[in-house]
């Protein structure tokens, strides 16, 4: 190998090493603090995969993109960004009919990733347990 090729190879390896070591901390930092509060919400009806899926984007700074954006953002904010912490509605009586719906949410809330999927026995139970968040 000539001196020029060795120097080029060494320079290329050094560049790759610098890029690789610099990318990991930047990527980790980007994942830890993501600005904005927004979720992509879907509701799928049925037991298995179905073409009956509705979805919308819920943005909360300011509330928009969702039929009940203000109410959904307020409930989500009060629950600290955790759908499981939304208090169930005590004034709702749901029928004991099995018509499953699966609610999913993916997005970012206060810089943290949100991943949520839950199957409810019917849409009434889903609404009673998740408030306006999945009222698409």
């Amino acid at each position: 190998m000539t001196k020029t090729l060795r120097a080029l190879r060494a320079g290329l390896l050094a560049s790759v090493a610098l890029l690789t070591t610099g990318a990991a901390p930047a990527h980790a930092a980007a994942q830890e603090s993501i600005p904005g509060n927004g979720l992509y919400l879907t509701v799928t009806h049925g037991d298995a995969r179905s073409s009956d899926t509705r979805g919308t984007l819920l943005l909360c700074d300011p509330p928009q993109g969702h039929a009940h954006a203000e109410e959904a953002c307020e409930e989500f904010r009060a629950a600290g960004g955790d759908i499981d912490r939304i208090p169930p509605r005590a004034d709702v009586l749901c029928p004991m009919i099995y018509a499953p719906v699966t609610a999913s949410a993916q997005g970012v809330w206060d810089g943290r990733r949100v991943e949520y999927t839950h199957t409810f026995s019917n849409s009434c139970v889903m609404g009673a347990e998740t408030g306006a968040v999945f009222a698409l």
Side-chain angles (χ1 to χ4, degrees), residues 25-37 107-113:
H27 181 66
Q31 282 187 337
E32 288 174 12
S33 61
I34 302 168
N37 291 327
V108 176
W109 188 264
D110 287 338
R112 294 179 326 230
R113 290 232 179 260

Side-chain angles (χ1 to χ4, degrees), residues 2 11-12 25 30 33 40-42 49 66 70 73 94 108 110-112 116 119-120 123-125 133-134:
T2 66
L12 183 60
S33 61
Y40 182 67
L41 307 167
T42 60
R49 291 187 179 198
H66 183 287
E70 258 185 67
C73 289
C94 293
V108 176
D110 287 338
R112 294 179 326 230
Y116 174 87
T119 301
F120 298 91
S123 58
C124 179
V125 173
V133 174
F134 291 102

